[in-house]
Amino acid sequence: MSEEVSLAGRYVPISIFWSYVGNGLMAIVFLATYLFAIDNVDNALADPSGYPFIYVFRTALPNSGVNALTILVLIIVIAANISFNASTARQTFAFARDNGLPFSKWISHVSTTKEIPANSIILTCVITCLLSLINIGSNVAFNAIISLQVVALMMSYACSIGCVLYRRVAHPELLPKAQWSLGKWGIAVNGIGLAYVTFSFFWSFWPNSIPITLQNFNWSVVLFVGVLVICLVMYVVKARKVYVGPVTTVRRLDD
């Protein structure tokens, strides 16, 4: 989405930084309030609704208050899902536009009447619905896919932060001048970020409990390796011949 922002190199990092600070402060207030309101953790986890926060609402409020707060939570979740799908559709469109996906021409098509990448939006919504239906048939499979999401995010963060950190330390002259920078704190922040995502990546493959059974085994490692192998095969067979990437495109336009 940075492509649609003026002076993205300055304002996108500022937006990310202050949204993190603002949401972090609000999360601390919410978490402290929530923890103080829990009178019994075991009862909250065993609540018939399956959602511990409803148990906490019920112990502090009458039914009308529980319904009101639950509706607010649902509205926030719905709004977040719309935002997530819009972001995912935009990334899917951008990656397909750079020939990084199968059927890239169809996925990256922009509707001349609506002026939006309708195909990528439809594809994203369909895949989201299909993934949600997995939970009906197998909770284990659904949890494995959710775990794969965390692992994939940590892997992508590790690659991008690691490359930037390497350039900062080994070849700082190759990095373009940043429009918004942390200055002397940049290397330290990159190092802490890389350590955190590496830690999270490692522990995301482990099961949540022992003894390990087919039900509690963390299948994300199997899915991650499978997806990685498929991506590598696709890259060797086709993608390396057609994928150019947005950086190459920008440099070509600058020349």
Side-chain angles (χ1 to χ4, degrees), residues 125-233:
C125 292
V126 169
I127 292 176
T128 301
C129 293
L130 293 177
L131 291 176
S132 301
L133 293 176
I134 293 176
N135 194 36
I136 299 176
S138 173
N139 187 51
V140 175
F142 181 77
N143 290 335
I145 294 175
I146 297 301
S147 298
L148 176 63
Q149 176 192 16
V150 176
V151 173
L153 281 174
M154 295 301 105
M155 183 64 177
S156 63
Y157 293 157
C159 291
S160 57
I161 296 175
C163 290
V164 172
L165 182 60
Y166 170 76
R167 283 292 179 88
R168 280 180 176 271
V169 176
H171 302 286
E173 71 280 358
L174 297 179
L175 287 173
K177 185 177 180 181
Q179 295 177 330
W180 187 85
S181 173
L182 293 173
K184 63 180 181 179
W185 299 102
I187 294 179
V189 171
N190 287 154
I192 294 173
L194 182 60
Y196 172 77
V197 297
T198 303
F199 178 85
S200 301
F201 177 80
F202 175 77
W203 288 108
S204 294
F205 290 117
W206 290 72
N208 295 324
S209 60
I210 54 175
I212 300 174
T213 64
L214 291 177
Q215 284 70 34
N216 65 16
F217 180 75
N218 191 341
W219 293 95
S220 62
V221 61
V222 180
L223 293 176
F224 177 76
V225 173
V227 172
L228 181 62
V229 170
I230 293 174
C231 292
L232 291 176
V233 171

Side-chain angles (χ1 to χ4, degrees), residues 101-112:
L101 292 175
F103 310 106
S104 292
K105 185 175 181 181
W106 180 83
I107 297 174
S108 61
H109 175 72
V110 178
S111 173
T112 55

Side-chain angles (χ1 to χ4, degrees), residues 62-84:
N63 287 336
S64 58
V66 173
N67 293 334
L69 288 182
T70 303
I71 290 173
L72 289 178
V73 172
L74 292 176
I75 291 175
I76 294 173
V77 170
I78 293 172
N81 284 332
I82 294 174
S83 176
F84 294 154

